[in-house]
Amino acid sequence: MANQNQNNQNQGKVAQGIKNTAGAAFHTVHSALETTEDAAMSVVDGTAKAVKNVTGNQNGQNR
């Protein structure tokens, strides 16, 4: 019976370790995606500003 309890405890520890590792991996990927999204949106904002400046200058306006 002692062996069975020890096996159950070991399985619980292994399962918790897998869960913790998966959680850490998910967090890392999520953070990387947010960083990528922020960078992409900065490029989009810069492009939009550049287009607005070019079109404003062509129309004799400086916006």
Side-chain angles (χ1 to χ4, degrees):
M1 192 63 152
N3 277 346
Q4 183 64 35
N5 287 339
Q6 185 66 34
N7 285 341
N8 287 342
Q9 288 176 352
N10 288 342
Q11 288 174 352
K13 288 178 184 179
V14 170
Q16 188 62 44
I18 291 169
K19 182 179 175 183
N20 290 345
T21 301
F26 177 81
H27 180 71
T28 299
V29 170
H30 183 77
S31 294
L33 286 173
E34 285 185 345
T35 301
T36 302
E37 179 184 13
D38 290 344
M41 290 310 298
S42 292
V43 170
V44 169
D45 290 342
T47 302
K49 184 176 179 181
V51 168
K52 184 176 181 181
N53 287 339
V54 168
T55 58
N57 290 339
Q58 287 178 347
N59 293 328
Q61 301 169 353
N62 191 4
R63 296 180 188 195

